[in-house]
Amino acid sequence: SRVQDATKKLGLPLLITGSTRDKLPAEFATRRLCTAHVAGIREAVALYELRGLQATPDWLRQRDDYEAALADFEAGQWCNACQALVTLTGLDQAKNRFDIPTVKLLRKAWESLEKREALDPVIDLTLA
């Protein structure tokens, strides 16, 4: 229930932790979103979007691109992360629907690029 409170903040219907993901069969499509602090859990946890068994090729491609951008961000390759994430958000195509985890990661990558220093890659979802 503590992790599910983060669904509102990430704009997704279902989130699971890395430990839950490790217990799922490989057929389940998941996307690693971030490492986060969530209310009621002391240690930061890896959060995953659970897509289920019916992921489309487009969703799988977007997942792979997002996870690559997340890896770039975590490795301090903020420019690469920003370039990939702008494309994934659809901002370059003036879409009206945005993937909230992508927008949040883009914001953190942009802040790191702007400040020229690494921000804590752990996202604090305990804040209102």
Side-chain angles (χ1 to χ4, degrees):
S1 67
R2 293 174 178 125
V3 172
Q4 289 310 355
D5 186 50
T7 60
K8 296 175 204 113
K9 296 174 183 173
L10 292 174
L12 296 170
L14 186 60
L15 299 175
I16 58 174
T17 64
S19 60
T20 300
R21 180 185 170 268
D22 292 342
K23 295 174 185 172
L24 292 175
E27 303 84 55
F28 280 86
T30 61
R31 172 175 61 148
R32 185 171 82 89
L33 297 171
C34 61
T35 302
H37 290 292
V38 295
I41 300 176
R42 183 175 299 183
E43 298 292 320
V45 295
L47 292 180
Y48 289 79
E49 174 185 8
L50 177 60
R51 189 63 173 203
L53 295 171
Q54 301 297 321
T56 65
D58 284 342
W59 186 88
L60 293 171
R61 190 171 26 262
Q62 184 169 357
R63 178 216 39 208
D64 293 344
D65 291 346
Y66 176 91
E67 289 182 350
L70 177 60
D72 281 342
F73 170 73
E74 292 171 336
Q77 302 296 316
W78 310 308
C79 188
N80 291 347
C82 286
Q83 288 173 332
L85 292 165
V86 164
T87 301
L88 288 173
T89 62
L91 292 172
D92 62 334
Q93 300 169 14
K95 291 182 181 179
N96 290 324
R97 287 186 41 225
F98 303 107
D99 180 62
I100 299 303
T102 302
V103 172
K104 285 184 179 292
L105 182 56
L106 175 58
R107 182 183 313 130
K108 282 197 79 117
W110 187 265
E111 286 179 52
S112 292
L113 185 62
E114 186 177 47
K115 292 178 180 181
R116 299 187 185 271
E117 64 183 44
L119 296 177
D120 184 359
V122 177
I123 296 174
D124 189 352
L125 296 176
T126 63
L127 305 173

